[in-house]
Amino acid sequence: EDQVTQSPEALRLQEGESSSLNCSYTVSGLRGLFWYRQDPGKGPEFLFTLYSAGEEKEKERLKATLTKKESFLHITAPKPEDSATYLCAVQFHYGGATNKLIFGTGTLLAVQP
Amino acid sequence: GAGVSQSPRYKVAKRGQDVALRCDPISGHVSLFWYQQALGQGPEFLTYFQNEAQLDKSGLPSDRFFAERPEGSVSTLKIQRTQQEDSAVYLCASSRGRTKETQYFGPGTRLLVL
């Protein structure tokens, strides 16, 4: 069964303290891996898409990387406004007419000033 | 431009009532998805439309759940005879194309069944 696992479940950082979030997946044909940010009471906000191992994407203090079995979201010198739940989702080659995403349970990040 | 919009944002229903949740996707987006998100969990797939065709409904939890997109734009998710376990946030997403495209999410409808 295809699965997506995120770790840690929760992470508390001091402002400026860099760290990484992990997303590992078991897959029978990865089509794409997506990172989203979700603030309380809001829908997921798109951050990055990665399609192949070795690919990297950057945006401000965030950098996403992809290997054959996992992805990392690196947060450099975080600020309190980076506090949110970060969701990882994967899209597989299902062999049928669907483009659904399978999500992990997310990492709740709190950045303290 | 305008993003995905959903209405209502909040819905309280008595157990046994029928509810209808609306999604307005980004204009011109071919694909539309519904997800269910329980508290503290990631979204779970419910159903997928390509234009007006419902191509995947494998995630609908029971025959009480029904979705439609009759003109290939606005979609409605209907839940009949609501149960307490239906309480969740229902998210709608749309994407421009058919494969590998980024899905953009709406703000969700929070449903509470009493």
Side-chain angles (χ1 to χ4, degrees):
Chain A
E1 180 182 340
D2 298 323
Q3 283 194 322
V4 180
T5 304
Q6 290 189 247
S7 63
E9 290 185 4
L11 181 62
R12 189 186 301 270
L13 299 174
Q14 291 295 123
E15 184 172 2
E17 179 187 2
S18 302
S19 188
S20 296
L21 314 182
N22 178 263
C23 172
S24 62
Y25 55 92
T26 57
V27 61
S28 51
L30 178 71
R31 181 181 283 171
L33 185 141
F34 302 80
W35 282 99
Y36 288 86
R37 167 192 173 130
Q38 187 172 30
D39 292 295
K42 296 189 176 182
E45 175 189 345
F46 171 71
L47 293 174
F48 303 108
T49 307
L50 301 166
Y51 293 112
S52 56
E55 191 174 359
E56 299 182 350
K57 295 273 181 73
E58 280 190 75
K59 179 181 178 181
E60 296 181 351
R61 296 178 292 282
L62 300 177
K63 178 180 177 180
T65 62
L66 181 65
T67 71
K68 288 186 177 180
K69 290 297 180 186
E70 60 189 347
S71 176
F72 290 93
L73 184 65
H74 307 279
I75 304 176
T76 301
K79 298 182 178 182
E81 53 262 43
D82 295 323
S83 298
T85 295
Y86 289 85
L87 294 165
C88 168
V90 295
Q91 193 178 64
F92 303 120
H93 290 284
Y94 301 105
T98 188
N99 293 307
K100 66 182 178 183
L101 295 177
I102 298 178
F103 281 85
T105 53
T107 293
L108 177 61
L109 175 65
V111 182
Q112 296 182 318
Chain B
V4 178
S5 61
Q6 294 186 245
S7 61
R9 291 294 316 278
Y10 303 93
K11 177 70 178 178
V12 179
K14 292 183 179 179
R15 190 174 55 171
Q17 279 186 330
D18 296 348
V19 298
L21 312 180
R22 176 187 169 108
C23 172
D24 285 82
I26 295 172
S27 178
H29 276 198
V30 168
S31 298
L32 185 146
F33 304 81
W34 284 98
Y35 292 85
Q36 181 190 60
Q37 187 173 27
L39 192 64
Q41 301 296 313
E44 290 194 3
F45 171 78
L46 294 177
T47 188
Y48 159 58
F49 290 85
Q50 187 180 108
N51 295 307
E52 69 279 2
Q54 189 174 20
L55 298 186
D56 185 357
K57 53 182 180 179
S58 63
L60 296 176
S62 77
D63 59 7
R64 296 185 295 104
F65 287 70
F66 172 76
E68 60 183 5
R69 194 186 185 198
E71 297 179 357
S73 179
V74 172
S75 178
T76 304
L77 176 67
K78 297 179 180 177
I79 308 174
Q80 297 176 324
R81 304 180 303 282
T82 53
Q83 304 294 315
Q84 285 186 325
E85 60 263 30
D86 299 335
S87 296
V89 175
Y90 291 85
L91 294 164
C92 176
S94 70
S95 67
R96 184 178 56 187
R98 295 178 172 80
T99 61
K100 298 177 70 172
E101 297 279 351
T102 297
Q103 295 180 25
Y104 296 93
F105 283 81
T109 294
R110 186 176 299 273
L111 173 65
L112 177 62
V113 182
L114 302 177

